[in-house]
Amino acid sequence: MAVQQQPTQVVTVMTSDQSPGTWSTGLCDFGSDMGTCCCGLWCFPCMQCQTAKGFGKFCCMPLLDVCCVVSSSLRASIRKRHNIPGSFCDDWCKLLWCYTCVWCQMNRELKIRRKAGQTYTSVSTHG
């Protein structure tokens, strides 16, 4: 008798104690996390890779950033996941104004959300 595998459905469940809707730190709020600030200053590509990996993306993705397209896309994904208002145009303008500041803010946001108990769980179900 042949064994058939049932189709699988993956469901992502998000839980959080932090209310969505705003960035946890300002764009130039360097003093709130000196580790991120120092990493951004002295080893910026490493901090970019850490941020992308922390969000579940390929860690070397930021190194392929041309015209801020990858950065804008990642920032928009972070905003969407955490229900933070904004627009692609706004993200792009901020990246042009201070590329490093935007990446540091994204890194801080992911750290803060992780520490606040926000978790992402994948559940496999047979349907």
Side-chain angles (χ1 to χ4, degrees):
M1 176 176 271
V3 176
Q4 291 184 334
Q5 185 173 356
Q6 298 295 320
T8 302
Q9 178 181 10
V10 177
V11 179
T12 301
V13 179
M14 182 180 78
T15 59
S16 175
D17 293 335
Q18 184 173 351
S19 60
T22 60
W23 290 97
S24 301
T25 61
L27 192 60
C28 298
D29 196 3
F30 307 112
S32 66
D33 182 359
M34 289 306 293
T36 296
C37 181
C38 291
C39 189
L41 181 63
W42 289 305
C43 191
F44 184 66
C46 296
M47 196 249 338
Q48 285 181 294
C49 292
Q50 177 190 39
T51 304
K53 186 176 180 182
F55 191 67
K57 302 291 184 184
F58 178 58
C59 69
C60 293
M61 183 181 76
L63 303 177
L64 306 173
D65 202 6
V66 177
C67 298
C68 301
V69 173
V70 171
S71 299
S72 295
S73 175
L74 182 63
R75 186 170 171 88
S77 296
I78 291 171
R79 282 190 302 97
K80 183 176 180 182
R81 180 179 286 177
H82 299 297
N83 197 27
I84 299 171
S87 68
F88 185 83
C89 183
D90 180 58
D91 294 339
W92 195 72
C93 288
K94 286 179 180 172
L95 282 157
L96 290 179
W97 176 73
C98 188
Y99 190 77
T100 306
C101 297
V102 171
W103 273 95
C104 287
Q105 184 186 38
M106 291 190 297
N107 187 283
R108 288 190 306 268
E109 188 67 29
L110 295 177
K111 282 183 181 179
I112 289 168
R113 300 268 179 174
R114 200 173 309 118
K115 285 180 184 176
Q118 194 162 64
T119 58
Y120 297 91
T121 308
S122 292
V123 180
S124 293
T125 59
H126 295 283

